[in-house]
Amino acid sequence: MDRRTFMQKTGVGAATLSLGMTAASAKRVLGANDKIRFGLVGCGGRGLSLLMMYARDPRVEFAYLCDPDQNRGGREFSILKENHNPHLQRLTDFRPTLEDKNLDVLMVATPDHWHAPATILACQAGKDVFVEKPMSHNIWEGRKMVEAAAKYNRIVQVGMQTRSAPYAQKAVDYIRSGKLGTIHLCKIFNLKAGDPYHADKDYKPNDKVDMDLWLGPAREELAYVYQSKGWLYHWDFCNGDIMNDGIHQIDMARWLIGKHIPASAYSIGGNLAFQDDREVPDTQLASYEFGDMLVTIEVTQYAPYMSKTPMIVRETDTFPYWPQNATRIELYGTQGLMIFGRHGGGWQVFTTDGKVVAQEYGRVPDEPHKENFLHCLQTREKPNASAEEGHLSCLMVHMANIAYRLGGRKLVFDPAKEEFPHDAEANAMLKRAYRAPYCVPEAISNIL
């Protein structure tokens, strides 16, 4: 069913399609035996992975699959309509689904620039949210997402799944026990392979793509970046690989060290390897001050000899080859060095001469993260990767990118106001320019 047909059958008016929806009363109290009804927006690779994982759970029923590109998700829609829910609907625009009082959850797996508008709309409509990482496109809208979750008493889980991994909790417990000593240096790595990006500015998507909807708050003249995931390389849509992929390690490192917001950030880098059409850097270094601790991040998109933890490692009692592990965290304590791998890489603690004094094998944490989310939907408990945690982790990356885009300036941050004192240029980058009508409201209390 397309958007027009859906609107005619449900009586949803055109005004509902702005960011000023008024459906906050559309809430349903879940019983112990009720199916949890989901709507998915974003039928790309990650969205479809989440769809198939959740659809296998007998507690879950998908009611809607939504994507502005009608070329996406057709095969999965057919499979699920036959085997999962014969009433499953496929839409271009997700927003009319929020008027469905029996819809419990919106799962947001869009490109990054739609995460905040979709999440806030869903919270306003009384829906809980699973939003993929990274949670926000900028610092200001990240805080608005937190405010919306709180105001409408919504469960918001961010797709930072290592927070639900048992081996990760054991690493946190080990550090909190004091066995690693005092940590004064934490190094985060996102050192990956990659390819040049060359944009075809004459590219036109086919007529099955609602390009205005896909662009959302981004500039209309950037429609050409839809090709080959070009949005990953432009600031209007993404914040570089330090955010797109590195946010997993950054979030985990922040949990491991027990810190919230750094006092300052500094970042340098550039399009050094490819010198292609990307706006974001292919090489980037960032550093942060947390009192008596320094945190650094190193990012590449060109190193073919670096690799993520192989699945055979994530599913067995083995460890990565740490020197060439692309997505590791190193914590330097006064009593030992912990090397931690995300998404099932496990962790080891080393002392002098390479002696291993503690270790824990890992497993892929997608299922535990799903279980945590479904549990919180029923109990209303705070999820492992809450909106607040997602915001604070993204905030670190936003700080670094603002410093980078201002030429490598060291930025001091006020955590209470979430701004840069006496720095008008940096403060101007706390928020993006939104293309109407896809605007995040200035005050969440004014949404109603």
Side-chain angles (χ1 to χ4, degrees):
M1 183 184 297
D2 61 21
R3 177 172 58 176
R4 179 175 297 174
T5 303
F6 182 92
M7 290 167 62
Q8 290 173 345
K9 290 194 173 185
T10 61
V12 177
T16 309
L17 300 183
S18 73
L19 288 187
M21 292 177 66
T22 58
S25 61
K27 301 176 183 179
R28 184 167 72 106
V29 178
L30 287 171
N33 298 317
D34 287 340
K35 291 266 190 179
I36 306 172
R37 300 182 76 245
F38 276 65
L40 170 67
V41 52
C43 296
R46 182 57 180 166
L48 295 180
S49 294
L50 290 168
L51 169 69
M52 301 312 291
M53 178 175 67
Y54 275 79
R56 287 193 296 268
D57 193 296
R59 295 166 291 181
V60 171
E61 180 180 88
F62 276 88
Y64 305 98
L65 304 188
C66 310
D67 197 295
D69 187 342
Q70 297 176 49
N71 299 291
R72 292 186 168 193
R75 175 177 174 272
E76 290 75 13
F77 173 78
S78 297
I79 292 171
L80 291 182
K81 191 171 180 66
E82 180 178 353
N83 301 290
H84 175 72
N85 177 12
H87 305 293
L88 180 68
Q89 299 184 51
R90 188 180 180 198
L91 302 177
T92 300
D93 193 332
F94 75 94
R95 291 171 293 178
T97 73
L98 300 181
E99 294 288 341
D100 183 348
K101 66 180 181 180
N102 292 316
L103 184 69
D104 302 303
V105 176
L106 185 70
M107 179 170 277
V108 181
T110 64
D112 306 356
H113 67 302
W114 255 109
H115 287 184
T119 297
I120 292 171
L121 274 175
C123 288
Q124 176 197 358
K127 315 305 180 187
D128 297 318
V129 179
F130 183 99
V131 57
E132 257 305 331
K133 60 77 193 170
M135 191 179 94
S136 64
H137 180 270
N138 56 75
I139 292 174
W140 178 83
E141 74 176 22
R143 177 52 62 188
K144 296 302 172 186
M145 295 168 79
V146 175
E147 291 175 5
K151 176 178 176 59
Y152 299 107
N153 194 27
R154 295 295 90 202
I155 299 296
V156 175
Q157 174 89 294
V158 185
M160 303 182 303
Q161 58 266 47
T162 307
R163 279 190 174 258
S164 294
Y167 81 93
Q169 182 63 64
K170 291 180 180 180
V172 171
D173 293 343
Y174 185 90
I175 292 171
R176 301 293 187 270
S177 75
K179 295 176 183 177
L180 202 64
T182 304
I183 301 169
H184 296 292
L185 177 64
C186 173
K187 295 183 178 182
I188 306 168
F189 298 93
N190 196 64
L191 304 171
K192 294 164 50 186
D195 298 300
Y197 163 66
H198 299 293
D200 177 7
K201 295 189 177 181
D202 295 324
Y203 169 83
K204 303 290 184 185
N206 62 45
D207 58 7
K208 289 189 175 183
V209 181
D210 185 335
M211 187 50 61
D212 181 75
L213 180 62
W214 182 82
L215 284 167
R219 289 173 291 164
E220 189 173 5
E221 60 266 29
L222 292 175
Y224 68 87
V225 309
Y226 190 72
Q227 59 184 319
S228 303
K229 291 189 175 182
W231 61 270
L232 288 167
Y233 306 110
H234 290 266
W235 294 117
D236 268 59
F237 306 91
C238 188
N239 281 277
D241 211 45
I242 187 175
M243 179 72 94
N244 177 62
D245 205 24
I247 189 61
H248 286 296
Q249 296 91 279
I250 292 165
D251 176 67
M252 194 60 226
R254 199 175 59 77
W255 187 23
L256 290 168
I257 63 177
K259 301 294 185 181
H260 296 289
I261 301 177
S264 70
Y266 170 75
S267 183
I268 56 174
N271 190 353
L272 308 181
F274 297 125
Q275 300 178 22
D276 55 9
D277 294 331
R278 74 187 66 206
E279 294 179 346
V280 302
D282 60 31
T283 309
Q284 187 174 4
L285 302 178
S287 62
Y288 303 89
E289 293 176 303
F290 285 96
D292 64 352
M293 185 189 302
L294 296 180
V295 175
T296 65
I297 304 170
E298 300 181 18
V299 179
T300 68
Q301 286 195 281
Y302 67 85
Y305 41 83
M306 304 300 292
S307 61
K308 294 182 179 181
T309 305
M311 286 305 298
I312 189 65
V313 172
R314 304 185 201 192
E315 297 290 3
T316 58
D317 288 349
T318 52
F319 293 104
Y321 178 60
W322 294 119
Q324 289 180 277
N325 183 268
T327 53
R328 70 190 189 273
I329 303 166
E330 297 178 354
L331 300 110
Y332 292 80
T334 53
Q335 303 298 320
L337 163 66
M338 176 183 283
I339 304 182
F340 181 98
R342 76 176 204 190
H343 291 178
W347 55 270
Q348 293 180 288
V349 176
F350 300 87
T351 59
T352 306
D353 299 324
K355 180 181 179 182
V356 177
V357 296
Q359 65 182 30
E360 190 72 30
Y361 298 115
R363 292 292 185 271
V364 176
D366 285 355
E367 281 291 333
H369 206 49
K370 182 197 75 174
E371 287 298 320
N372 176 249
F373 184 49
L374 296 181
H375 172 77
C376 292
L377 293 178
Q378 293 281 358
T379 64
R380 314 312 294 174
E381 296 174 14
K382 183 178 179 180
N384 290 339
S386 66
E388 181 70 20
E389 298 295 354
H391 171 59
L392 294 179
S393 293
C394 285
L395 190 152
M396 285 184 62
V397 182
H398 294 314
M399 289 174 65
N401 279 338
I402 293 172
Y404 164 76
R405 296 176 73 180
L406 290 176
R409 180 188 305 174
K410 180 179 178 179
L411 299 176
V412 175
F413 196 70
D414 181 340
K417 296 182 178 180
E418 293 194 350
E419 64 182 35
F420 304 99
H422 315 298
D423 194 328
E425 281 188 297
N427 286 330
M429 300 177 76
L430 292 170
K431 181 182 178 182
R432 71 173 302 152
Y434 292 88
R435 186 174 69 94
Y438 305 101
C439 303
V440 172
E442 288 288 336
I444 294 300
S445 60
N446 290 340
I447 295 179
L448 290 176

